[in-house]
Amino acid sequence: MISFHLLIGVVLILPSLSLLPPDDSSCTNECFHQSSKACPPPESSCRCRLLTNCQKAAVCCDVNQITLKQGLACSNITYRKIESLHIRNAALDSFNLSVFQPIWRLLRYMTITNGNIRRIDGEFAKHSNISCLNLSSNHINSIEERALGSLYNLGILDLSHNNLTKVPSVRKGTLILDISNNANLICSELNTLSNRSEIIFHHENDTFCITSKDFVWFRTAEKIPFSQVKAVHELQKNCHENCTCSTYRLNLSQGKLPAFEVAINCSNKEFLSLPVPLPDNTISLDVSNNNISSIKELSDPSYQNLRHFIADNNKISSIQPLEGTKFISNFDTLSLQWNGIKVLETYVLDNIQFERNYNQRRVKLGFNKLQCDCNTMKLKVWLLSKISHIPDYDDIKCYNMNVKVIELDAAKMCQSPQDWTDYIYYIITAEVLLLVGLIAKVSYDYWVFKTAGYLPWPANKMPRLPCDWLCE
């Protein structure tokens, strides 16, 4: 017989192999399993039989509480050292493990499949040798909590294709566990099991659970893939250094499997820049009370799902990096209070949509060092039009004049100093008139000189210039 430990090694090396073979007969696979062809003939009154092709092995088929007892007796299984047993198509309200314990104690491989069993009661006797237990495809609703507690050699446990809500206690140590296709499995049970690193889950992609009120991550009864429950325990491992990651909420997008969203808290860590990259599905980031001076990292692809960004009490000087990011189109919360912002560019703020579909959006910009001038009136207009989405509008003040932006007076803010350019037109007009007058006077003096032979006053009083010969 192949060593059990060697077989475990094979399973670990070849995880793609199925835990059980297809519906064929085998005496050498990890868990003993026989097809319906190995069953006693339908006309046989004894529903159990020893197998001739498998050493110390037997099969029982189509049994109930009475015929199982009779079959074990009439096939002499009760009096032989049987190591492998497969019970197929059992119809039992309860399968009591405390019955037939002398037989179960000697088994190494016990398989009960394809039946209709409501529950598993009792428990295996101490020092039972079972290393592989397969209870799949039986419609089992419950298994007594301590039923498997004495199976210290158990290495493979298959509870798939049942109606279990919880998994019974199993020993510590390496265990290959298949709990796939249990429609009513509670997520808190998976949460407890996923904490145990020695358990190797088989068929994870077919393993789901439903939420319950005691499963604190999710508040609604939804079908959750095991991969999501398992990923919760990897959150902190994949979280940005010095930050804390936690589940935020369950995303129930139509046409997609439910997936949890992540919240990251990186406050009070003396960060100089925003953390990059963020874990997948990060929806909330808190970087308050750091020394961050820029928010340019918001354009990083890992920020594409971010909805809540809180960066209060930093050294951020501008909101310009928000322009063109996915965040400004998709966010719910933007908080930049107590920073070093001097100018709030309205062309950036105008890109924020506050229509009916975005009525939950909140923007906090208070307690910054705004330098107000006439251009700040545009910010006042923006604030007044979006005041229901700006809960701290009363705290958005001018640093250079200690007045609220929403109380700015345009008549005072936009008064311009005296503009002397308005008088240039008068000066030009006067110069043109003087030039015209001068030309007229020269023309008149020239006419008098030609006709009367003398220069009128004041031309005859002016000293003679070297250029006067040009006029003679």
Side-chain angles (χ1 to χ4, degrees):
M1 184 68 69
I2 298 178
S3 169
F4 169 72
H5 296 290
L6 178 60
L7 291 171
I8 288 294
V10 172
V11 173
L12 295 177
I13 296 173
L14 302 174
S16 60
L17 294 179
S18 175
L19 187 62
L20 287 175
D23 194 22
D24 63 346
S25 299
S26 175
C27 302
T28 58
N29 57 284
E30 296 86 355
C31 282
F32 180 72
H33 188 273
Q34 295 293 302
S35 70
S36 58
K37 297 177 182 178
C39 293
E43 63 274 10
S44 174
S45 59
C46 187
R47 300 313 304 155
C48 299
R49 76 178 184 92
L50 295 169
L51 299 179
T52 57
N53 61 326
C54 296
Q55 186 180 10
K56 299 181 181 180
V59 62
C60 298
C61 301
D62 309 310
V63 295
N64 55 34
Q65 197 72 44
I66 298 175
T67 57
L68 175 61
K69 181 178 180 180
Q70 294 174 344
L72 293 174
C74 65
S75 60
N76 293 323
I77 295 176
T78 306
Y79 308 103
R80 293 186 179 225
K81 187 177 179 181
I82 301 299
E83 294 183 351
S84 304
L85 175 65
H86 187 177
I87 301 175
R88 292 182 60 95
N89 196 25
L92 304 168
D93 184 63
S94 169
F95 189 94
N96 196 330
L97 299 175
S98 299
V99 181
F100 308 119
Q101 283 197 5
I103 299 176
W104 309 154
R105 183 183 286 111
L106 300 176
L107 292 177
R108 293 183 61 192
Y109 308 111
M110 183 175 187
T111 303
I112 306 173
T113 63
N114 307 97
N116 190 3
I117 302 172
R118 185 175 178 181
R119 64 183 186 274
I120 303 293
D121 293 327
E123 59 182 293
F124 284 103
K126 292 182 178 180
H127 309 299
S128 294
N129 294 321
I130 294 176
S131 61
C132 177
L133 177 63
N134 180 7
L135 300 176
S136 63
S137 304
N138 285 298
H139 305 94
I140 299 172
N141 294 324
S142 66
I143 301 177
E144 194 164 314
E145 177 65 21
R146 298 176 57 84
L148 314 182
S150 298
L151 298 182
Y152 296 106
N153 295 322
L154 188 64
I156 300 176
L157 175 61
D158 190 346
L159 301 175
S160 63
H161 295 88
N162 284 296
N163 297 319
L164 294 173
T165 58
K166 60 183 301 184
V167 178
S169 298
V170 290
R171 66 170 183 84
K172 293 183 179 180
T174 303
L175 176 68
I176 300 175
L177 176 63
D178 190 348
I179 50 175
S180 61
N181 294 287
N182 278 275
N184 300 315
L185 196 63
I186 301 298
C187 285
S188 54
E189 289 295 310
L190 281 185
N191 174 37
T192 302
L193 290 171
S194 59
N195 279 326
R196 295 180 54 177
S197 59
E198 74 273 17
I199 294 181
I200 302 168
F201 291 91
H202 204 69
H203 295 136
E204 286 188 10
N205 292 337
D206 297 319
T207 303
F208 294 84
C209 63
I210 58 174
T211 58
S212 66
K213 61 183 180 181
D214 59 335
F215 193 50
V216 296
W217 298 320
F218 311 118
R219 299 299 183 187
T220 57
E222 298 292 340
K223 188 177 181 182
I224 310 297
F226 176 60
S227 59
Q228 292 297 309
V229 178
K230 189 176 180 180
V232 169
H233 299 280
E234 299 177 356
L235 264 181
Q236 194 56 41
K237 181 175 66 176
N238 298 329
C239 196
H240 194 276
E241 187 178 2
N242 296 327
C243 297
T244 302
C245 292
S246 60
T247 54
Y248 183 83
R249 68 184 181 191
L250 184 64
N251 186 359
L252 302 175
S253 299
Q254 188 174 5
K256 297 181 180 179
L257 289 174
F260 69 87
E261 294 171 331
V262 179
I264 303 181
N265 190 327
C266 301
S267 59
N268 299 288
K269 300 299 181 182
E270 298 184 357
F271 282 6
L272 300 178
S273 60
L274 294 179
V276 175
L278 299 181
D280 293 341
N281 295 326
T282 296
I283 192 174
S284 177
L285 173 63
D286 186 350
V287 289
S288 300
N289 305 312
N290 284 291
N291 297 314
I292 298 169
S293 59
S294 173
I295 54 175
K296 62 183 180 179
E297 289 83 3
L298 282 174
S299 60
D300 188 85
S302 63
Y303 279 74
Q304 63 180 343
N305 296 317
L306 194 66
R307 298 293 182 271
H308 305 274
F309 180 56
I310 303 169
D312 298 338
N313 196 24
N314 279 279
K315 298 179 180 179
I316 298 168
S317 58
S318 175
I319 64 169
Q320 284 184 336
L322 286 172
E323 188 177 20
T325 62
K326 288 187 177 181
F327 174 78
I328 201 171
S329 301
N330 302 325
F331 81 94
D332 290 330
T333 302
L334 170 62
S335 185
L336 297 173
Q337 293 182 322
W338 297 102
N339 276 281
I341 301 173
K342 294 184 178 180
V343 178
L344 289 170
E345 292 84 355
T346 52
Y347 68 86
V348 176
L349 298 174
D350 285 338
N351 291 327
I352 302 176
Q353 302 297 319
F354 291 100
E355 286 86 1
R356 193 180 337 180
N357 293 338
Y358 302 101
N359 59 357
Q360 298 301 319
R361 283 188 170 173
R362 296 292 181 267
V363 178
K364 295 182 180 180
L365 300 168
F367 307 104
N368 280 284
K369 300 180 179 181
L370 297 185
Q371 299 293 325
C372 295
D373 53 27
C374 186
N375 291 326
T376 313
M377 297 307 300
K378 296 179 182 179
L379 175 61
K380 175 184 176 179
V381 173
W382 183 83
L383 286 174
L384 291 174
S385 64
K386 307 294 189 296
I387 202 166
S388 61
H389 300 275
I390 320 293
D392 65 340
Y393 65 88
D394 264 345
D395 299 318
I396 303 176
K397 301 178 181 179
C398 299
Y399 184 72
N400 58 331
M401 57 183 62
N402 194 27
V403 63
K404 298 176 183 178
V405 171
I406 61 170
E407 295 177 352
L408 288 176
D409 187 349
K412 295 180 179 179
M413 293 299 299
C414 297
Q415 278 186 346
S416 59
Q418 191 170 4
D419 193 352
W420 290 100
T421 59
D422 293 341
Y423 296 97
I424 193 67
Y425 301 107
Y426 298 106
I427 296 173
I428 293 174
T429 301
E431 289 178 343
V432 170
L433 291 175
L434 287 173
L435 180 60
V436 171
L438 180 61
I439 293 173
K441 181 65 171 71
V442 171
S443 299
Y444 172 75
D445 289 347
Y446 178 76
W447 177 77
V448 171
F449 180 76
K450 286 295 185 182
T451 58
Y454 68 93
L455 288 173
W457 187 93
N460 63 350
K461 300 295 183 182
M462 294 180 63
R464 190 175 180 84
L465 299 174
C467 60
D468 285 348
W469 65 270
L470 293 173
C471 300
E472 295 179 352

